[in-house]
Amino acid sequence: MRQSNLFTKTRKEAPKDEVSKNAILLIRGGFINKEMAGVYSYLPLGLRVLKKIERVIREEMNTIGGQEIEMTTLQDSEIWKKADKWDDEKVDVWFKTKLKNGSDLGLAFSHEEVIAEMLKNHTSSYKDLPFSVYQFQTKFRNELRAKSGIMRGREFFMKDMYSFSRTENELMHFYEEAKKAYFNIVDRVGLKEKTYLTRADGSVFGPWSDEFQVLSEAGEDTIFIDKDKKLAINKEVFTDETIEELGLVKDKLEEKRSVEIGNIFPIGTRVSDAIGFTYSDEKGENHPVVMGSYGIGLGRLMGTIVEVLSDGKGIVWPDEIAPFKVHLIALSGGEKDADKLYEKLLAQNTEVLYDDRQDISAGQKFADSDLIGIPLRVVVSERSLKAGGFEIKRRSSDKEEIIKINNLPKWLNG
């Protein structure tokens, strides 16, 4: 894509009421636009990143057998009333409204009860189980603390998966597979070293949950970590009983700030019992379906990556989710050769953002490149051509080198 055709522009400043680093950098880089507190639109660069995060998550969910669906955002209150949750005080973030006929509607904050009601039409026998389904969908939560940029929004994009099993053992087998898939996700997006599996409160979903917490001073959570075991306990359930249950030693635990990017819940039969979601076994006897729930916020993950991996110059995107692989920059004397290289890269299906803007100084182009954070920068200038090639630099490094013109495709693919 030619940067001259990109309608978004970089900015020197973010809105004055924006305090989070992730939102400041993403707004300045032209990735998102702030509509109101906790509500952001994704612009072309931001949407490319979000879709790549979605692809990573989808691949990992498919690997463990997930079947993708898409459910409605509007939810019938009668389903939640059946589960005695419509007026549950623990659900203090729910956006609710009424139809003109007086019927209550909720904007989805989660789908456990709703999907259980739906699957009653498709699951009746032990032969139908186990399986899992997932979706990517916009959720709505009336957050009181919407000051963390896209890490905590009132409207946000989320992957939620639900598993359906015959027994607790079958559930926990899948639960362990889901843990592995989540760690694969954080590894692929560059957060593995800072991510801890964290025991936490289950809120409305059950007595406990496992969170995936990323160490960051920008986080709203306090956790106690064991660096060797890569385990942690959320402050909300930090008790001697929990410490003993996880096999940890209290004196070895360190207090840290962190961001929760995802969580998983072994729901068991609580939802199925309330909804009447059952299956018949080999003897024809009915049993409640055993459920699990697995969520991860795509915007929250994206914002956390910016918080954790950025530097003083701007964003540093991991290769797999960067908006483009290469940021090609044309400077004085190198425009014609840069044009040729751009066409060649496109022909090789290399994702490239080409800074072909006129009347922009070299310093401004370099500053914008650092802010946007694309992993590889290729500069074509009179100086580089005299040196026999193109100037190459990784965003995560200060080292620059000249690559011979004929060696560039091999270098990019290596």
Side-chain angles (χ1 to χ4, degrees):
M1 182 177 192
R2 290 180 178 268
Q3 203 161 340
S4 59
N5 293 335
L6 189 63
F7 78 84
T8 59
K9 304 293 187 294
T10 58
R11 299 166 56 173
K12 291 184 178 180
E13 302 291 340
K16 293 182 179 179
D17 62 341
E18 192 58 78
V19 297
S20 63
K21 180 169 68 171
N22 71 87
I24 289 171
L25 290 176
L26 289 167
I27 290 171
R28 289 187 54 222
F31 290 84
I32 62 174
N33 185 71
K34 185 173 185 177
E35 306 299 337
M36 63 186 78
V39 182
Y40 299 86
S41 296
Y42 287 84
L43 305 178
L45 293 179
L47 188 60
R48 288 181 70 93
V49 175
L50 194 71
K51 288 298 181 182
K52 290 188 175 185
I53 293 174
E54 180 181 329
R55 185 201 68 218
V56 168
I57 296 173
R58 176 177 287 110
E59 289 173 358
E60 295 299 334
M61 295 302 99
N62 289 346
T63 296
I64 59 175
Q67 301 176 54
E68 187 169 0
I69 62 172
E70 184 172 344
M71 299 186 70
T72 63
T73 297
L74 291 177
Q75 296 183 341
D76 185 352
S77 64
E78 293 305 315
I79 297 173
W80 292 93
K81 289 176 182 177
K82 185 186 297 187
D84 200 27
K85 284 188 178 178
W86 182 252
D87 296 313
D88 192 332
E89 293 182 357
K90 288 186 177 180
V91 188
D92 59 355
V93 294
W94 209 333
F95 282 109
K96 298 177 181 178
T97 187
K98 285 183 178 291
L99 295 176
K100 289 185 177 180
N101 64 7
S103 299
D104 291 318
L105 284 179
L107 291 178
F109 78 96
S110 194
H111 274 81
E112 281 77 5
E113 277 75 5
V114 178
I115 198 167
E117 182 71 25
M118 180 185 78
L119 289 176
K120 287 163 62 176
N121 298 317
H122 301 276
T123 307
S124 58
S125 167
Y126 71 96
K127 296 179 181 179
D128 299 325
L129 300 165
F131 66 94
S132 60
V133 300
Y134 71 95
Q135 64 174 344
F136 293 95
Q137 192 202 55
T138 300
K139 296 287 195 295
F140 298 88
R141 295 182 184 176
N142 190 13
E143 298 283 1
L144 297 177
R145 301 170 295 168
K147 296 183 179 180
S148 300
I150 61 173
M151 294 195 305
R152 182 178 287 277
R154 294 190 168 107
E155 177 181 338
F156 59 95
F157 199 46
M158 177 181 176
K159 186 281 302 178
D160 45 325
M161 171 180 265
Y162 307 94
S163 67
F164 307 91
S165 304
R166 291 166 289 199
T167 65
E168 289 286 342
N169 285 341
E170 201 169 70
L171 162 64
M172 295 313 297
H173 175 77
F174 183 83
Y175 195 82
E176 292 303 316
E177 292 300 308
K179 281 184 187 178
K180 295 175 185 176
Y182 270 51
F183 275 113
N184 288 341
I185 292 167
V186 296
D187 186 21
R188 292 174 66 177
V189 302
L191 295 176
K192 182 179 180 180
E193 297 303 316
K194 290 183 175 291
T195 302
Y196 285 77
L197 183 68
T198 305
R199 182 55 55 89
D201 179 46
S203 184
V204 297
F205 303 106
W208 59 271
S209 70
D210 285 311
E211 297 174 338
F212 292 80
Q213 293 273 3
V214 179
L215 300 185
S216 171
E217 287 302 314
E220 298 175 340
D221 287 314
T222 299
I223 63 174
F224 296 86
I225 69 169
D226 184 315
K227 288 184 177 179
D228 296 330
K229 293 186 177 182
K230 291 291 285 185
L231 293 174
I233 302 174
N234 196 303
K235 184 178 181 179
E236 63 192 8
V237 295
F238 188 62
T239 64
D240 291 338
E241 181 181 359
T242 306
I243 295 170
E244 182 179 356
E245 179 187 345
L246 297 178
L248 302 177
V249 178
K250 192 170 186 178
D251 292 342
K252 288 184 62 177
L253 300 177
E254 299 180 42
E255 183 176 335
K256 297 288 185 179
R257 298 291 293 174
S258 62
V259 179
E260 175 202 333
I261 57 168
N263 49 26
I264 59 180
F265 306 84
I267 296 174
T269 63
R270 286 178 295 278
V271 171
S272 300
D273 287 334
I275 298 297
F277 182 27
T278 64
Y279 73 94
S280 60
D281 64 15
E282 296 92 330
K283 298 178 181 179
E285 297 177 355
N286 284 340
H287 304 274
V289 175
V290 185
M291 292 176 57
S293 178
Y294 316 84
I296 187 167
L298 280 71
R300 182 174 291 188
L301 183 56
M302 180 174 167
T304 303
I305 290 165
V306 175
E307 288 283 346
V308 172
L309 301 183
S310 63
D311 61 19
K313 297 178 181 179
I315 302 168
V316 184
W317 292 115
D319 290 3
E320 192 155 2
I321 62 167
F324 294 91
K325 181 176 183 178
V326 176
H327 200 173
L328 174 62
I329 298 177
L331 298 184
S332 178
E335 294 88 349
K336 290 184 179 179
D337 290 271
D339 282 343
K340 293 178 182 178
L341 177 58
Y342 175 60
E343 296 300 329
K344 187 174 183 179
L345 291 173
L346 290 182
Q348 296 172 347
N349 295 318
T350 300
E351 292 184 323
V352 55
L353 179 64
Y354 176 26
D355 192 345
D356 61 335
R357 295 175 296 172
Q358 303 294 319
D359 301 323
I360 301 291
S361 69
Q364 183 61 53
K365 287 189 175 186
F366 290 153
D368 284 353
S369 183
D370 285 335
L371 174 61
I372 293 171
I374 294 170
L376 293 172
R377 188 178 77 190
V378 178
V379 178
V380 184
S381 65
E382 184 177 6
R383 183 177 72 87
S384 75
L385 294 172
K386 286 182 179 179
F390 308 129
E391 182 184 283
I392 305 294
K393 177 184 176 298
R394 287 199 66 87
R395 175 62 181 85
S396 57
S397 171
D398 293 328
K399 182 181 178 182
E400 300 172 353
E401 59 180 307
I402 298 294
I403 299 295
K404 300 297 182 182
I405 293 174
N406 293 334
N407 292 339
L408 182 62
K410 181 179 178 181
W411 191 91
L412 290 177
N413 294 324

